[in-house]
């Protein structure tokens, strides 16, 4: 689809904060680049977006986001390539998912030119914030919130679309231990699990903390009805290599966030001629595969880490250990090929990258 030329009002910072940041000690989500993008929607119309200094915004205490939680977001990254270009990985997929989330939450959809052109112009202005270190990237956080000054329960007439960016280090934490959650649920059929809604995260914080107090890093979410089928791992999609088949839960019940990393891995695996199954996967099936010695690999998939290998699965009071992920052929190949494509080191045969 052709993108209309978008004029954006730009107010630059008087003094960049770039030299205050220690790029050798980046922590996820703590440092924010000089500028942000803001666009407003009021009664059916989007304003011309502005790029302005990153800083506090004023909201009325009656703004509906604070009361009824209409809030969605996206997470994507800009990577510095081996040729020193700045590349976005599949931003069109983030754009489409953003508006699917907006529709589910009964919010105004953001026009393509505001989302795509807005983000590209914002990154161009803060181009020196795209870090150059090994594994580093500029994390991009677009979000949309309801801004009606009205506390009656209804969909808002006013929204704010905002994009902030944050330089991040290569995400490396080793393998994670996960507990199968058999009481709480992240999402239910008919709910908002397939939307990247803030509320899904709010619901996950208490169960995640409880799992951490039991010595696990994260949860494996299961279906809300019977806690029998696997859905996601923490805030990532989940995949298993059983024998020589790649398994991942199917998306058809709308309880799982359709990850772009998930889709990219499935695309690569099929391209490499692997057996791939997207279907319901029971906890029992995975535990039995482990007992037969056929559970070769298990990992989370998402933009933050790309691949987060799982070292241990806790279920029914027992722990099931996986082998050392350093020797996993598939997960490590996926990680290095995806990283290679994002950095322009490996040919982008699927047309995933977009230059800023
Ligand atoms: C964002 C997200 C993912 C991963 O999506 P990517 O597009 O791969 O980053 C998976 N699960 C949940 C719940 C998420 O919010």
């Amino acid at each position: 689809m052709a993108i209309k030329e978008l004029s954006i009002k730009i107010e630059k910072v008087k003094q960049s904060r770039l030299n205050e940041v220690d790029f050798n000690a980046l922590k996820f989500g703590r440092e924010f680049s000089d500028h942000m993008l803001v666009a407003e929607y009021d009664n059916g119309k989007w304003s011309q977006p502005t790029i302005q200094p990153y800083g506090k915004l004023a909201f009325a205490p009656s703004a509906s986001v604070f009361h009824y939680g209409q809030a969605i977001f996206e997470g994507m990254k800009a990577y510095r390539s081996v040729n020193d270009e700045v590349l976005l990985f599949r931003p069109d997929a983030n754009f489409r998912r953003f508006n699917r989330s907006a529709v589910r939450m009964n919010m105004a959809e953001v026009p393509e030119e505001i989302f795509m052109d807005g983000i590209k112009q914002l990154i161009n202005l803060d181009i020196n914030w795209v870090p150059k270190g090994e594994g580093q990237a500029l994390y991009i956080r677009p979000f949309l919130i309801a801004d009606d000054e009205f506390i009656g329960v209804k969909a808002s007439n006013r929204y704010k679309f905002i994009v902030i960016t944050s330089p991040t280090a290569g995400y490396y934490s080793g393998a994670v231990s996960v507990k199968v959650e058999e009481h709480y649920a992240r999402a239910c059929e008919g709910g908002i699990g397939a939307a990247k809604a803030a509320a899904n995260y709010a619901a996950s914080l208490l169960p995640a903390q409880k799992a951490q107090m039991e010595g696990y890093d994260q949860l494996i979410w299961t279906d809300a009805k019977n806690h029998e089928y696997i859905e996601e791992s923490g805030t990532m999609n989940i995949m298993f290599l059983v024998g020589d088949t790649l398994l991942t839960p199917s998306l058809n019940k709308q309880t799982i966030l359709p990850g772009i990393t998930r889709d990219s891995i499935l695309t690569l695996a099929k391209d490499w001629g692997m057996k791939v199954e997207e279907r319901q996967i029971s906890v029992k099936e995975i535990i039995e595969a482990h007992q037969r010695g056929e559970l070769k690999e298990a990992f989370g998939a998402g933009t933050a880490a790309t691949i987060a290998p799982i070292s241990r699965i806790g279920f029914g009071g027992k722990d099931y250990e996986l082998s050392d992920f350093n020797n996993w052929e598939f997960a490590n190949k996926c990680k290095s090929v995806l990283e290679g494509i994002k950095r322009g080191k490996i040919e982008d045969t699927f047309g995933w990258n977009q230059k800023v």
Side-chain angles (χ1 to χ4, degrees):
M1 207 203 299
I3 297 179
K4 273 182 280 169
E5 191 65 38
L6 181 71
S7 74
I8 296 183
K9 206 168 74 195
I10 297 179
E11 183 202 334
K12 287 191 192 171
V13 292
K14 295 196 175 65
Q15 174 87 55
S16 173
R17 288 178 283 101
L18 194 57
N19 58 9
E20 295 167 18
V21 178
D22 180 359
F23 279 84
N24 296 317
L26 291 173
K27 292 202 187 80
F28 181 81
R30 292 244 175 250
E31 311 277 2
F32 299 98
S33 320
D34 284 330
H35 298 92
M36 62 183 181
L37 180 96
V38 180
E40 286 170 12
Y41 175 93
D42 194 355
N43 262 318
K45 264 191 65 192
W46 280 97
S47 71
Q48 182 191 10
T50 62
I51 289 176
Q52 59 196 68
Y54 172 89
K56 292 184 181 169
L57 292 164
F59 291 93
S62 56
S64 48
V65 63
F66 301 132
H67 305 276
Y68 307 121
Q70 277 182 295
I72 59 166
F73 67 95
E74 266 304 324
M76 54 209 274
K77 283 179 177 175
Y79 302 86
R80 219 169 256 283
S81 78
V82 283
N83 306 318
D84 212 26
E85 295 167 326
V86 172
L87 302 174
L88 294 170
F89 184 71
R90 307 188 70 181
D92 49 320
N94 292 96
F95 165 69
R96 287 192 300 271
R97 186 170 69 190
F98 194 69
N99 276 344
R100 284 200 306 271
S101 299
V103 168
R104 177 61 185 86
M105 303 303 285
N106 205 1
M107 302 170 83
E109 290 176 71
V110 175
E112 185 173 15
E113 62 272 19
I114 291 182
F115 189 97
M116 298 296 275
D117 232 24
I119 286 173
K120 287 178 183 172
Q121 290 196 36
L122 178 68
I123 292 170
N124 258 315
L125 186 63
D126 282 337
I127 200 93
N128 293 327
W129 286 85
V130 183
K132 299 191 167 164
E134 174 81 29
Q136 296 181 333
L138 186 70
Y139 185 80
I140 304 163
R141 169 54 60 87
F143 61 107
L144 182 69
I145 53 177
D147 194 22
D148 240 2
E149 298 179 18
F150 177 58
I151 55 170
V153 179
K154 67 168 190 57
S156 180
N157 286 322
R158 294 194 354 183
Y159 295 93
K160 266 199 174 68
F161 173 61
I162 304 170
V163 184
I164 57 176
T165 69
S166 172
T168 60
Y171 185 107
Y172 185 81
S173 63
V176 294
S177 62
V178 292
K179 187 193 115 177
V180 176
E181 179 58 66
E182 295 182 86
H183 174 68
Y184 295 104
R186 191 195 80 92
C188 62
E189 278 184 57
I192 58 171
K196 220 167 167 73
N200 287 325
Y201 280 68
S204 76
L205 297 176
L206 177 71
Q209 187 174 16
K210 287 191 168 182
Q212 279 158 16
M213 291 190 308
E214 292 172 43
Y216 298 94
D217 299 304
Q218 266 303 347
L219 289 173
I220 290 184
W221 297 107
T222 51
D223 72 281
K225 248 184 226 159
N226 300 315
H227 300 288
E228 192 180 340
Y229 295 103
I230 291 171
E231 297 202 323
E232 299 203 50
S233 172
T235 60
M236 305 178 93
N237 295 116
I238 190 164
M239 298 193 165
F240 303 94
L241 187 67
V242 174
D244 56 3
T245 303
L246 180 64
L247 294 178
T248 196
S250 47
L251 303 175
N252 50 13
K253 300 220 188 291
Q254 306 289 310
T255 53
I256 292 173
L257 200 286
I260 294 159
T261 314
R262 173 189 182 279
D263 182 75
S264 305
I265 292 170
L266 293 177
T267 302
L268 289 175
K270 287 174 193 163
D271 191 54
W272 298 336
M274 272 181 74
K275 267 186 272 176
V276 174
E277 293 179 13
E278 282 180 78
R279 58 169 172 80
Q280 278 200 321
I281 300 164
S282 67
V283 179
K284 186 163 165 270
E285 171 181 355
I286 294 302
I287 298 299
E288 285 173 1
H290 182 274
Q291 287 165 335
R292 288 196 311 272
E294 285 184 19
L295 181 60
K296 306 289 182 204
E297 305 182 9
F299 53 89
T303 295
T306 306
I307 281 174
I310 292 170
S311 55
R312 179 163 65 101
I313 300 174
F315 173 62
K318 271 187 76 178
D319 278 345
Y320 300 85
E321 303 278 343
L322 279 91
S323 65
D324 178 2
F325 74 92
N326 288 297
N327 303 323
W328 295 357
E329 208 177 307
F330 178 72
N332 289 315
K333 182 175 170 191
C334 278
K335 187 160 180 130
S336 70
V337 169
L338 282 172
E339 180 71 9
I341 293 172
K342 291 168 179 178
R343 302 281 175 189
K345 277 188 261 186
I346 294 177
E347 195 193 345
D348 176 22
T349 48
F350 300 102
W352 283 337
N353 290 329
Q354 288 192 26
K355 245 184 266 178
V356 162

